[in-house]
Amino acid sequence: MTDGRLARGERTRNAVLDTAVTLATEVGLGGLSLGQLAETLGVSKSGLFAHWRSKEELQLATIDRAREQWTERVVAPALRAPRGVRRLWALHEARLAFYRAAVLPGGCFFAKCQFEYNVQPGAVRDRLAEALGEWMALVERLVTESIAVGELRSDVDPRQLAYEIEAFGMNAVVQSRLLAPEASYVHARRAALERLRSLCPDPTLLPEE
């Protein structure tokens, strides 16, 4: 019975944080509050205080939940692809698919919040920087693995290529909110694909277009 209550409590907590992630893509982490969250969910604010005693605690928990969502929807599917350039490509594809699916109304939690907090020192900025660093390290690691198995040229700079791939993805989510969404995703996909094919000794490992 205790395990069941704990499981239900965890599911409830995650459902609340899923709503917080969604709201943050619209109003930002700075605009997120326990009162607003309670109103959106139709629950008492006092009930939420049992989980988070302050706005900052809620913000940090929301970032952590967004990281879990990103892992579930983007990273985990990509890691099922064969090790090497196909896995690196699958990561970019999974990211664009996540954006295309319009799971979050504001497009991308991390794009929204990183721009919001990039000049605001404190625990929230530090947690966002940690998440970005973890993501960039993953992309760089997949580039390094692709080089190690001979599926990218040996003279490729992993950090530089990871930066380029991140730029394609970030630009897609930014432009898709202001310009034609589908065109933004098409350009981001084509840019990364052409870049990887130009560096891959066996371009047949990657789609033609």
Side-chain angles (χ1 to χ4, degrees), residues 13 26 29 33-34 37 45 65 76 89 104 108 112 116 121 135 141 151 154 168 177 187-188:
R13 184 178 186 276
E26 298 178 298
L29 278 172
S33 69
L34 288 165
L37 192 55
K45 184 177 177 181
R65 182 57 183 160
W89 171 246
L104 300 173
C108 177
K112 173 81 173 181
E116 181 186 7
W135 166 251
R141 176 169 66 81
E151 294 184 0
S154 60
F168 297 145
R177 312 312 297 174
H187 292 320

Side-chain angles (χ1 to χ4, degrees), residues 9-29:
E10 186 65 18
R11 286 195 297 270
T12 299
R13 184 178 186 276
N14 285 342
V16 172
L17 288 174
D18 286 343
T19 301
V21 171
T22 298
L23 282 173
T25 68
E26 298 178 298
V27 303
L29 278 172

Side-chain angles (χ1 to χ4, degrees), residues 12-24 27-41 43 45 47-66 109 113 117 123-124 127-128:
T12 299
R13 184 178 186 276
N14 285 342
V16 172
L17 288 174
D18 286 343
T19 301
V21 171
T22 298
L23 282 173
V27 303
L29 278 172
L32 190 64
S33 69
L34 288 165
Q36 180 191 43
L37 192 55
E39 182 179 350
T40 300
L41 290 166
V43 300
K45 184 177 177 181
L48 297 183
F49 268 115
H51 295 285
W52 307 285
R53 301 298 300 175
S54 68
K55 179 174 179 175
E56 184 175 88
E57 281 187 15
L58 174 63
Q59 290 171 322
L60 294 174
T62 301
I63 294 168
D64 291 342
R65 182 57 183 160
F109 173 89
C113 299
Y117 276 86
V124 173
R127 190 69 59 87
L128 289 167

Side-chain angles (χ1 to χ4, degrees), residues 144-161:
T144 301
E145 289 178 357
S146 300
I147 296 169
V149 298
E151 294 184 0
L152 285 178
R153 290 192 334 229
S154 60
D155 62 346
V156 168
D157 180 340
R159 184 166 297 178
Q160 175 64 32
L161 184 55

Side-chain angles (χ1 to χ4, degrees), residues 1-202:
M1 291 179 63
T2 300
D3 289 346
R5 285 196 297 270
L6 289 173
R8 286 194 298 274
E10 186 65 18
R11 286 195 297 270
T12 299
R13 184 178 186 276
N14 285 342
V16 172
L17 288 174
D18 286 343
T19 301
V21 171
T22 298
L23 282 173
T25 68
E26 298 178 298
V27 303
L29 278 172
L32 190 64
S33 69
L34 288 165
Q36 180 191 43
L37 192 55
E39 182 179 350
T40 300
L41 290 166
V43 300
S44 69
K45 184 177 177 181
S46 60
L48 297 183
F49 268 115
H51 295 285
W52 307 285
R53 301 298 300 175
S54 68
K55 179 174 179 175
E56 184 175 88
E57 281 187 15
L58 174 63
Q59 290 171 322
L60 294 174
T62 301
I63 294 168
D64 291 342
R65 182 57 183 160
R67 292 167 81 171
E68 291 173 359
Q69 287 183 353
W70 189 258
T71 298
E72 293 164 4
R73 294 175 176 269
V74 177
V75 177
L79 293 183
R80 291 195 286 268
R83 184 169 178 261
V85 73
R86 286 168 291 183
R87 184 174 294 176
L88 179 61
W89 171 246
L91 189 69
H92 187 67
E93 283 270 69
R95 176 185 193 167
L96 295 182
F98 181 65
Y99 294 156
R100 272 193 172 109
V103 175
L104 300 173
C108 177
F109 173 89
F110 293 104
K112 173 81 173 181
C113 299
Q114 285 164 8
F115 280 119
E116 181 186 7
Y117 276 86
N118 61 6
V119 294
Q120 298 186 45
V124 173
R125 181 188 182 279
D126 291 346
R127 190 69 59 87
L128 289 167
E130 179 185 280
L132 177 58
E134 182 181 85
W135 166 251
M136 293 305 298
L138 171 64
V139 181
E140 187 175 336
R141 176 169 66 81
L142 296 190
V143 174
T144 301
E145 289 178 357
S146 300
I147 296 169
V149 298
E151 294 184 0
L152 285 178
R153 290 192 334 229
S154 60
D155 62 346
V156 168
D157 180 340
R159 184 166 297 178
Q160 175 64 32
L161 184 55
Y163 183 92
E164 292 173 29
I165 292 171
E166 170 62 12
F168 297 145
M170 182 61 75
N171 200 44
V173 75
V174 171
Q175 289 202 12
S176 69
R177 312 312 297 174
L178 297 172
L179 304 175
E182 192 55 35
S184 300
Y185 302 138
V186 168
H187 292 320
R189 184 181 187 277
R190 183 181 300 154
L193 181 58
E194 290 181 356
R195 182 66 174 136
L196 290 177
R197 285 179 64 86
S198 73
L199 300 173
C200 182
D202 182 7

